[in-house]
Amino acid sequence: YIRGSSIISALGTNKSEAISKISLNDTSYLQNNPKSTNFFFINKKFKTAHDKFYSILKQVVNNAISDAKLNTEEIKELHIFIASTSMSISVNEEKHLDFLNKKSTNELEEIGYGDIGVFVEDLIKSKYPSTIMQSACTSSANAFCFANTLIKNNKIKRAIVIGLELFNKASYLGFKSLLLLSSNKHFIPFDENSNGLILGEACSALILDSNKKSHNDFLCLSTNSSFDNHSLTNSNPNGNVSFECMKDVILKAKINLKDITCIKAHATGSKISNLSEINAINQLFEYYNHNTKIVVLKQFIGHTLGACGTNEIALLCECINKGFLPNHMICEKHDNKTSFIFSKTNTKINKATVLFNFIGFGGSNTSIILSNEK
């Protein structure tokens, strides 16, 4: 069960602020982002990249623990899972620049990412060492799956799964060099005019527990992972591997597509990614002879890479608990290949079973089914 969660993103520095803006379709926060870069930034100033990284991490961890209402002993028993594509690259980039400008004698802040784990361990006084996971854009989704499996197999009692992605030049320029960023700074996945993605920074945490504590707690019904060897950077346009991943996660949950309220699509916005996921979802609909609603969350926070798993789970589960499914606010003209159901207004709902779909560089596919109807 997801017992608690927290998130800091372009939407705001706490979960309540984020959900309020989504429910009101308030996009004013995007005006605070620099127009020179197609990137959704956290709107908060910090003195250094180091201060930014660890201040945000600390706040998110503490907020999640508070949201879960854990007592002192329960906090100490948390097993820590940290997932990201870039980890603390932003901190090392700043330190290296200081070194080049002769402001520091250290060329790098740290080698490896063990210090991040030690920071969280010390923060919550955990009895256990951290587990750090990187699998591109499925990183935090896979960390969630791993923690969930350990809980279901009675290996651990509870866990905190942290997804973290902050702006860094390596990631941004990497995507730019691959021509994957939106050239007109419009993020419109599954739109005929979609021409790329917009990255974003965010940090979130989910508290997983073997026991249900509230009637609103989401239960993980099943998880599934698969790999597409078509390309290091692109999914196969036919969408077959992603389709099989979603089909198998439904079979594992022992339910039918008719039992699923909506699919949270990965929806990065790049041409090939769009085509691949459209084909995958269309195949799923054809296989079950049933359509269901599609929800896209990157329109609100950008593509947060390895953190998108925990970020989008935290946001959508909280939206549902607050009584609505968010609309697809920015699609101008749906790609004619889709057979999707999009809502132009928020849908009133407070109970749901959701299939979350995530896709990452290197061919990683991850699907998760969560429900607060059980």
Side-chain angles (χ1 to χ4, degrees):
Y1 294 92
I2 298 176
R3 182 172 169 180
S5 64
S6 67
I7 183 168
I8 294 176
S9 68
L11 282 163
T13 56
N14 60 68
K15 190 168 62 173
S16 296
E17 187 179 356
I19 302 307
S20 176
K21 286 177 180 173
I22 293 174
S23 68
L24 296 173
N25 294 323
D26 177 9
T27 59
S28 61
Y29 62 97
L30 297 179
Q31 296 172 9
N32 297 319
N33 285 273
K35 294 181 180 179
S36 58
T37 56
N38 37 8
F39 198 96
F40 291 179
F41 287 91
I42 293 170
N43 186 29
K44 189 175 181 180
K45 301 297 183 183
F46 298 90
K47 290 182 179 179
T48 66
H50 182 280
D51 179 40
K52 178 179 182 177
F53 186 92
Y54 287 101
S55 295
I56 288 173
L57 180 57
K58 179 180 180 180
Q59 184 179 339
V60 164
V61 169
N62 285 337
N63 286 352
I65 289 172
S66 176
D67 189 53
K69 297 179 175 61
L70 300 180
N71 62 40
T72 303
E73 278 308 305
E74 288 176 324
I75 295 170
K76 291 179 181 179
E77 289 178 348
L78 283 172
H79 288 256
I80 303 162
F81 299 83
I82 303 169
S84 173
T85 298
S86 64
M87 292 292 176
S88 55
I89 286 177
S90 59
V91 179
N92 274 326
E93 285 179 343
E94 181 181 67
K95 180 60 69 174
H96 186 65
L97 186 61
D98 287 345
F99 174 78
L100 294 178
N101 292 329
K102 303 187 184 308
K103 294 180 180 178
S104 171
T105 56
N106 295 324
E107 190 168 359
L108 294 173
E109 177 81 9
E110 56 198 38
I111 297 175
Y113 307 122
D115 284 358
I116 304 172
V118 171
F119 175 82
V120 180
E121 292 162 24
D122 291 343
L123 176 65
I124 67 174
K125 298 180 174 58
S126 174
K127 299 177 182 178
Y128 312 105
S130 301
T131 298
I132 294 177
M133 297 183 66
Q134 286 183 293
S135 59
C137 299
T138 57
S139 296
S140 60
N142 283 335
F144 177 96
C145 295
F146 185 39
N148 175 72
T149 298
L150 291 175
I151 291 173
K152 285 197 170 184
N153 290 330
N154 297 315
K155 301 293 185 182
I156 64 176
K157 288 183 179 179
R158 61 187 61 86
I160 181 168
V161 183
I162 303 163
L164 176 61
E165 210 72 54
L166 299 181
F167 178 83
N168 62 89
K169 291 181 180 178
S171 296
Y172 181 78
L173 295 177
F175 274 82
K176 188 174 182 179
S177 69
L178 291 169
L179 305 178
L180 291 173
L181 299 181
S182 171
S183 59
N184 58 12
K185 299 181 176 61
H186 290 303
F187 193 13
I188 45 177
F190 300 142
D191 191 286
E192 275 192 358
N193 298 314
S194 175
N195 71 349
L197 56 87
I198 296 180
L199 298 174
E201 57 182 3
C203 180
S204 58
L206 304 173
I207 304 289
L208 306 188
D209 200 299
S210 54
N211 295 311
K212 186 174 185 176
K213 300 297 180 180
S214 166
H215 69 280
N216 285 329
D217 290 350
F218 275 80
L219 171 66
C220 182
L221 299 186
S222 63
T223 66
N224 194 59
S225 298
S226 64
F227 286 87
D228 182 350
N229 63 2
H230 173 74
S231 163
L232 282 175
T233 56
N234 290 314
S235 301
N236 193 318
N238 65 26
N240 290 350
V241 176
S242 185
F243 155 65
E244 292 288 344
C245 190
M246 290 188 287
K247 183 190 74 173
D248 288 348
V249 82
I250 294 172
L251 292 174
K252 284 184 177 181
K254 298 179 180 178
I255 59 176
N256 192 284
L257 186 60
K258 292 180 181 179
D259 302 312
I260 291 175
T261 310
C262 66
I263 296 173
K264 193 293 303 173
H266 190 61
T268 62
S270 62
K271 287 289 186 183
I272 295 179
S273 177
N274 275 353
L275 177 60
S276 178
E277 193 167 17
I278 285 170
N279 285 333
I281 295 174
N282 283 344
Q283 287 181 68
L284 192 71
F285 290 169
E286 184 177 346
Y287 180 85
Y288 281 100
N289 192 29
H290 181 76
N291 288 19
T292 192
K293 290 182 179 179
I294 302 297
V295 173
V296 175
L297 292 171
K298 290 178 179 64
Q299 59 182 336
F300 299 106
I301 59 172
H303 184 11
T304 55
L305 304 181
C308 72
T310 52
N311 291 337
E312 295 178 9
I313 288 172
L315 286 177
L316 188 51
C317 289
E318 188 66 10
C319 284
I320 294 166
N321 281 335
K322 294 299 181 183
F324 72 98
L325 283 180
N327 68 2
H328 196 60
M329 66 178 183
I330 52 178
C331 201
E332 298 168 358
K333 186 177 181 181
H334 294 148
D335 191 304
N336 59 18
K337 301 181 188 66
T338 67
S339 57
F340 298 176
I341 304 170
F342 289 114
S343 293
K344 293 186 178 180
T345 58
N346 294 337
T347 304
K348 291 184 179 180
I349 194 169
N350 53 30
K351 293 290 182 181
T353 298
V354 183
L355 193 166
F356 289 83
N357 194 41
F358 303 99
I359 303 167
F361 275 6
S364 175
N365 290 264
T366 302
S367 295
I368 299 168
I369 296 180
L370 301 176
S371 178
N372 67 349
E373 296 183 296
K374 304 296 180 181

